Amino acid sequence: MSNAKIRNMEQFAAVSGISRPTVSKYFHDPESVRASTRARIEEALEQYDYRPNIFAMNQNRKLTKNVGIVVPYLADPFFAEIARYLEQRCIAAGYRPSLFSSHGEQKLEMEILDSLRSLKPAGVLLAPLGRASDRSEVEKFCRDVPTVLFDSNLEGIGAAFVGSDNFSFVSQTVEYLTRTGAPPAFFEMKTPANPNANKRRIAYVSMMERLGFEPHVISIDGEGWAFEEIGRQGAAKVLQDGALPTDAVLCSNDRLAIGFLSAAYELGIRVGRTEACRLRVASNDDHPFARFTCPSLTTAAHDYDNVAGRSVETLFDLIESGGKFGTRTETLFPARLVLRDSA
């Protein structure tokens, strides 16, 4: 291997004896140059240990291959899982995804969107904070950059939204719980971080009334993204105060349910669907850890694969159409009930 340090594509073209346009063409698409030329370039790459600055190459293109993926809280395993699916789909299509987390902060979400503008992305997949987002700034960004929203829908913003049908989640869990035992109470945060929580509460009330049962909504104190601890503390207070009007609980999301299970265990309350158990607990999302709780958590599952696949496909369609659709599109995927030991 040569000791000479090649710093840019011009220097590499000079030492390899191949024209700069041909070298550039190779790096954009190796199959676009003749096999003999490709072999010479690859031999020179090994000799000089040169790798191009792909980021700089992209910045010189009118349309880059960069795709931004923004989630509200990457420490949440749900968002880590959906981001993994999105990244894999983008990479398979020849794009280079960059993943960002706003950590539940509006200021950071805005800083991320500003940074993405400088990257000149081909498009962005954005799961906004929702209630905490600056709607006007998100709307402005979506006008400037081809953007598909996923998970949290800011009504009327962006060219498209892809997510899960919250009524499908709750209707299945409520129907199952009422069919197999006492009607459930709904356990939620008073100030939910994610707008899906409000839709799930509305769906719970609607489904209970449709089935002829009185809805019972238990709203606990807590704000932010530490759902497990908020759920544990809130459940402990509800259980100790005897404020639970039924022996079945439907939690707004699996992370709150994990906290509820923890509180029940600490208080010596057995959860499950056998006669020896005092409570049944179910939830929504199919969090990646839901099957590993004790007892394992009955829940309604997101269709991760289809949500990710359709989000990416919609973004590519948006890019190809010049960043605009005739009308805003919304795609919702139904949930799938997963029966486990907790209910």
Side-chain angles (χ1 to χ4, degrees):
M1 183 181 294
S2 172
N3 290 325
K5 178 66 175 176
I6 305 301
R7 300 186 180 280
N8 54 50
M9 200 177 298
E10 286 75 13
Q11 291 179 7
F12 176 74
V15 299
S16 63
I18 300 169
S19 71
R20 169 67 168 77
T22 301
V23 170
S24 177
K25 188 178 181 183
Y26 167 85
F27 284 124
H28 288 159
D29 180 7
E31 298 298 323
S32 66
V33 300
R34 287 181 299 186
S36 58
T37 303
R38 188 163 64 246
R40 287 176 60 198
I41 293 173
E42 290 170 355
E43 182 180 349
L45 286 172
E46 290 298 321
Q47 180 181 354
Y48 295 103
D49 192 26
Y50 171 68
R51 295 295 180 271
N53 185 333
I54 298 298
F55 177 78
M57 289 168 58
N58 277 340
Q59 298 309 94
N60 290 326
R61 293 181 181 178
K62 184 176 180 181
L63 182 63
T64 75
K65 300 291 278 185
N66 301 322
V67 168
I69 301 173
V70 185
V71 298
Y73 201 71
L74 193 55
D76 186 325
F78 163 73
F79 288 111
E81 186 75 353
I82 195 72
R84 181 175 70 86
Y85 276 83
L86 292 170
E87 284 185 313
Q88 289 176 336
R89 293 296 185 112
C90 289
I91 292 168
Y95 284 80
R96 283 172 287 277
S98 298
L99 179 60
F100 303 85
S101 172
S102 54
H103 298 284
E105 298 180 15
Q106 181 190 102
K107 180 181 177 183
L108 186 52
E109 184 174 71
M110 293 303 96
E111 289 176 356
I112 289 169
L113 297 184
D114 285 341
S115 296
L116 279 168
R117 281 191 178 91
S118 68
L119 289 174
K120 299 180 183 177
V124 169
L125 295 159
L126 170 63
L129 291 172
R131 181 179 59 85
S133 292
D134 185 327
R135 285 183 59 92
S136 63
E137 288 299 318
V138 173
E139 186 172 17
K140 181 180 177 182
F141 178 84
C142 291
R143 287 198 301 266
D144 296 340
V145 179
T147 302
V148 171
L149 303 188
F150 70 96
D151 184 62
S152 298
N153 191 9
L154 297 180
E155 304 288 345
I157 292 179
F161 170 76
V162 180
S164 298
D165 183 350
N166 284 292
F167 186 83
S168 172
F169 279 89
V170 176
S171 62
Q172 291 186 66
T173 47
V174 169
E175 190 280 330
Y176 169 72
L177 290 170
T178 54
R179 176 166 48 83
T180 56
F186 189 76
F187 184 77
E188 65 164 9
M189 292 165 55
K190 281 182 184 175
T191 311
N194 190 300
N196 290 323
N198 294 326
K199 295 177 181 178
R200 291 175 182 180
R201 182 198 331 105
I202 293 169
Y204 162 79
V205 172
S206 173
M207 192 64 186
M208 289 285 283
E209 291 176 345
R210 181 183 303 182
L211 294 173
F213 298 108
E214 181 182 359
H216 295 283
V217 177
I218 300 172
S219 299
I220 60 171
D221 293 330
E223 189 169 355
W225 291 82
F227 297 156
E228 292 87 357
E229 182 58 24
I230 292 170
R232 187 186 72 82
Q233 292 184 13
K237 187 174 188 311
V238 168
L239 293 171
Q240 288 173 327
D241 292 348
L244 191 62
T246 175
D247 63 5
V249 179
L250 175 59
C251 296
S252 179
N253 65 63
D254 285 354
R255 291 183 61 197
L256 280 177
I258 290 170
F260 197 106
L261 292 177
S262 175
Y265 175 79
E266 291 171 0
L267 294 171
I269 298 173
R270 190 167 179 180
V271 175
R273 50 182 174 176
T274 66
E275 292 183 0
C277 297
R278 286 175 51 190
L279 280 178
R280 295 184 302 151
V281 176
S283 188
N284 304 284
D285 284 338
D286 198 23
H287 182 293
F289 300 158
R291 59 180 171 152
F292 301 115
T293 60
C294 189
S296 56
L297 189 58
T298 289
T299 184
H302 286 278
D303 189 341
Y304 287 96
D305 193 44
N306 272 325
V307 170
R310 183 62 61 84
S311 296
V312 172
E313 290 168 7
T314 303
L315 181 62
F316 293 164
D317 289 343
L318 181 62
I319 293 168
E320 291 176 5
S321 68
K324 290 185 178 12
F325 289 148
T327 57
R328 187 178 191 266
T329 67
E330 292 190 9
T331 305
L332 300 178
F333 287 94
R336 173 176 56 87
L337 185 64
V338 180
L339 298 180
R340 299 193 179 104
D341 293 336
S342 69

